[in-house]
Amino acid sequence: MTAANGAGRPCRFCGTVRGPRVPGKAGPICLECVRTGLRVVGDGADRETTGGDVLAAVTSPLAAVCEFCGRRERRTFLGLRRPLLRVDCAARDAVICADCLDHAGDVLNVALRH
Ligand SMILES: [Zn+2]
Ligand SMILES: [Zn+2]
């Protein structure tokens, strides 16, 4: 996965087309939404994107899969299944998991340093 492209495609979570972003299958996520999403993951509280839509934590195994990696649960080393925390933007039908947010944050950190 590489950063800073998906040029011209709106962020799946806020709709902005500007700034650094990390591409996903359904569309990219922007830097601001990665930051906001990580805060939601951190304390579970809902937050608004710069687009004014709400990001909320989702833990139900029945809720939508992460659109970046296609998972809704983690397989542990022993083959046990653990719920995978996701952040969704119901207004835009967009979902990303905690792991993909972490990864996107790392990618953007590296991209912004260059
Ligand atoms: Zn965004
Ligand atoms: Zn994911």
Side-chain angles (χ1 to χ4, degrees):
M1 190 148 77
T2 55
N5 54 31
R9 296 187 68 189
C11 171
R12 288 281 295 133
F13 296 82
C14 71
T16 184
V17 294
R18 294 170 47 203
R21 60 207 45 241
V22 175
K25 291 177 193 117
I29 182 168
C30 75
L31 175 63
E32 277 309 311
C33 288
V34 170
R35 283 188 179 141
T36 307
L38 285 169
R39 286 189 202 112
V40 172
V41 166
D43 64 11
D46 296 359
R47 282 179 177 78
E48 270 190 20
T49 66
T50 52
D53 295 317
V54 175
L55 297 186
V58 178
T59 52
S60 168
L62 300 175
V65 299
C66 168
E67 65 182 51
F68 287 74
C69 68
R71 294 179 305 157
R72 59 161 62 94
E73 57 194 6
R74 278 190 183 124
R75 295 279 179 92
T76 68
F77 174 67
L78 294 173
L80 299 170
R81 292 169 182 219
R82 290 273 160 73
L84 176 59
L85 180 63
R86 282 148 285 154
V87 173
D88 86 340
C89 176
R92 294 176 179 275
D93 205 19
V95 185
I96 188 168
C97 74
D99 290 351
C100 289
L101 279 169
D102 272 341
H103 181 69
D106 290 346
V107 168
L108 288 168
N109 272 335
V110 171
L112 293 174
R113 235 178 273 137
H114 295 297

